[in-house]
Amino acid sequence: DLSMRFSELLDRLGGRARPAWNATLYLEYFSLHALAALEGDVGSFDDFARPALHLEYTNVWVGDGRSLGRLHFDPYENLLAQVVGTKHFTLFGPWRNEDLYEGHMREAQISFDPATGRFSMDELLDSTRMVMSPIDLSAPLEETLREYPLFGRAWPHRLLCEVRAGDVLFLPSYWWHEVQSVPDDQRVPQNVAVNRWFSPFWDKPFPCRACRLRPSPRYHGLLEDL
């Protein structure tokens, strides 16, 4: 992590103060409520979901369009509105997680030296945060299948989705996704999105490769109404 003021991040992304080091700038999982002055600029792109789903978080994602979110899932119903730039999603259904070798990613304490532009790992922690797949989608498929043979069942059923500025993507809970962000203009690299996370309709313990989805008790009333 690198600490800087939000205004400094915007200056760097706007080309007014480009860093000498070749690192990707990305502000992620940042609560929109912390940017109260911008809340009014976000339209109501989720009105259709509000009667049925329970809103938990609104996040803003701001970067230079060079970030890659590796293959993972989130335990939320997700509405993502793209503001600037494009995001390319590779999606896999959540029905057979053993095919994607579901597991937890261990966290690490990392330092960054702006003078040299180098990262160093201080400590590998025992704690875990995200549910990830170890599969590298950029690697040759033949090489991947030698190490993860069950992935061969998931690969033919992948979905590709391009989300451009002005688009809104609904991503159901527990769907696997890898996300590559790209800017509209390489000279002024920017990628901005806002998303709303709702309590998941589905439920399952994780990490648990063989566990199947079931409706969350929170939505039993909705199912009865249907």
Side-chain angles (χ1 to χ4, degrees):
D1 293 342
L2 178 65
S3 296
M4 66 174 64
R5 297 179 63 86
F6 186 67
S7 58
E8 183 182 354
L9 172 65
L10 295 182
D11 284 343
R12 293 180 184 275
L13 295 178
R16 293 183 291 273
R18 296 296 297 165
W21 28 269
N22 187 31
T24 296
L25 296 173
Y26 196 38
L27 177 68
E28 60 180 359
Y29 302 104
F30 193 76
S31 173
L32 183 64
H33 302 309
L35 300 172
L38 299 181
E39 282 194 89
D41 295 333
V42 178
S44 299
F45 61 90
D46 61 342
D47 288 345
F48 73 95
R50 291 295 187 99
L53 299 178
H54 304 277
L55 179 64
E56 292 201 17
Y57 304 102
T58 300
N59 304 307
V60 62
W61 310 73
V62 181
D64 58 12
R66 296 189 299 166
S67 63
L68 174 65
R70 292 288 187 182
L71 193 58
H72 69 284
F73 67 68
D74 299 304
Y76 300 101
E77 309 297 332
N78 185 6
L79 276 178
L80 179 132
Q82 190 68 24
V83 180
V84 178
T86 300
K87 292 188 186 299
H88 298 277
F89 282 77
T90 303
L91 305 169
F92 295 88
W95 319 121
R96 294 185 61 88
N97 288 351
E98 56 266 42
D99 296 351
L100 295 167
Y101 296 83
E102 173 186 339
H104 265 155
M105 178 181 69
R106 291 180 65 185
E107 294 181 303
Q109 186 70 43
I110 295 176
S111 297
F112 177 72
D113 184 354
T116 63
R118 294 182 179 276
F119 290 91
S120 60
M121 186 173 70
D122 300 328
E123 183 181 4
L124 184 62
L125 306 177
D126 292 330
S127 60
T128 60
R129 182 175 61 174
M130 296 182 67
V131 178
M132 304 288 294
S133 168
I135 293 169
D136 181 0
L137 295 183
S138 66
L141 182 60
E142 296 79 6
E143 177 182 310
T144 299
L145 293 180
R146 282 197 294 270
E147 188 169 0
Y148 305 106
L150 295 182
F151 182 61
R153 300 189 300 196
W155 179 250
H157 303 290
R158 70 195 184 281
L159 299 175
L160 304 179
C161 180
E162 182 178 270
V163 184
R164 300 178 180 178
D167 292 341
V168 175
L169 172 69
F170 172 61
L171 183 61
S173 55
Y174 297 101
W175 271 69
W176 291 89
H177 51 289
E178 182 162 298
V179 189
Q180 176 68 65
S181 298
V182 296
D184 289 329
D185 188 342
Q186 295 290 344
R187 295 170 298 179
V188 186
Q190 298 174 351
N191 193 285
V192 180
V194 175
N195 85 301
R196 300 202 197 277
W197 270 340
F198 300 86
S199 298
F201 177 82
W202 298 107
D203 190 19
K204 90 174 200 71
F206 57 87
C208 177
R209 296 178 184 177
C211 294
R212 302 301 182 230
L213 297 178
R214 58 183 183 271
S216 169
R218 183 164 192 172
Y219 290 103
H220 281 178
L222 175 62
L223 293 175
E224 291 171 358
D225 292 341
L226 295 176

